[in-house]
Structure formats: structure tokens, C-alpha cells
Amino acid sequence: MRFLTLSLFNKVPYLLFTFFLIACDGSPKASSPAPLAPYRIALDVMGKDFQQEVSNMLIQQEVSGGESPTTATVTIEQSGLLDDAVQAERSSFHLAFRDGKWVIDSRVNQQRCYPERGHQSFSTAPCH
């Protein structure tokens, strides 16, 4: 009859392997990606309104709420457009931080006309 005896020295690899399996259980850890910044969301939804040929662009983002912002306003102004009436376009986005991500609450599109083609300040009225 043969007896299997394991000394403490022989058990160390098994104990380490067991510890390794417990520490690395293989289950994926839930890590939520960082939410996109408000200006990125605004740029993404510009779609057909975004002019690739603009010579000037100004993107401004203002957030409120200190270290944990809850609202944001993003303004994207495009000028130097290839248009004979519209001198510049401006889109203003109002966003809120809900359920761990930024959501657009409203969007206002305005334009400024060239002289003698309409209004000289930003307005929702069309140029002519």
C-alpha cells in the first residue's frame, strides 16, 4: 500500500496557483468609459450643418456646477463661408449631465448676413 504524502514545500505551488485563480477570476470588470465632453457631442451632431470649407471656426464651451458640472453651453461659430448672403453661422447647444452622460436639451441655429444682405447681428431670421 502506498501513501501519498505532501509536505508543505510540495503544497506551495498548489496554494499559489489557487491564490492566483482567486485573484484573477477572469470575469470582466465593469468599467464605464468616461463620458464624451459636451463640445464633442455638439460637433458630432452638427451633421450637414457643419461646413468643411470654413476658413474660421470658434468653439466655446461653458460648464456650470464646479467640479461636478451639471449643465453646459457649447457655441460653434463658423465664418468665411462659401455663401454670398451668409457671413457666419452659429449653433448654440444647451446640454445637461444625466445618467452619467451629456444630453442635448436644445439647439439654436443663427446666422449673420453680409452687408446689404440682411441683419448684421446673429439672428434666426434668414439672409436674403
Side-chain angles (χ1 to χ4, degrees):
M1 184 179 244
R2 209 171 202 179
F3 292 99
L4 180 61
T5 58
L6 295 172
S7 68
L8 182 59
F9 179 75
N10 290 336
K11 292 181 184 178
V12 169
Y14 297 106
L15 294 173
L16 288 176
F17 182 70
T18 304
F19 175 76
F20 177 75
L21 287 178
I22 292 170
C24 302
D25 64 358
S27 62
K29 303 295 181 208
S31 64
S32 58
L36 286 178
Y39 77 91
R40 292 285 313 268
I41 293 170
L43 283 172
D44 286 347
V45 301
M46 285 294 288
K48 65 178 181 61
D49 296 330
F50 189 68
Q51 305 260 345
Q52 297 293 330
E53 302 85 21
V54 298
S55 61
N56 299 308
M57 184 174 10
L58 173 67
I59 301 173
Q60 183 176 359
Q61 173 180 287
E62 296 177 18
V63 295
S64 66
E67 291 181 12
S68 299
T70 56
T71 61
T73 300
V74 176
T75 304
I76 301 172
E77 184 177 320
Q78 304 172 82
S79 61
L81 306 175
L82 300 176
D83 191 297
D84 60 349
V86 179
Q87 183 179 25
E89 292 180 338
R90 180 170 69 187
S91 295
S92 297
F93 297 86
H94 298 281
L95 299 95
F97 193 72
R98 290 191 205 108
D99 299 324
K101 62 183 179 179
W102 288 100
V103 179
I104 297 174
D105 281 340
S106 66
R107 175 182 179 177
V108 175
N109 294 321
Q110 299 176 318
Q111 51 194 356
R112 182 176 61 220
C113 307
Y114 281 111
E116 300 179 16
R117 297 303 300 253
H119 47 84
Q120 299 299 293
S121 60
F122 280 104
S123 171
T124 56
C127 298
H128 49 273

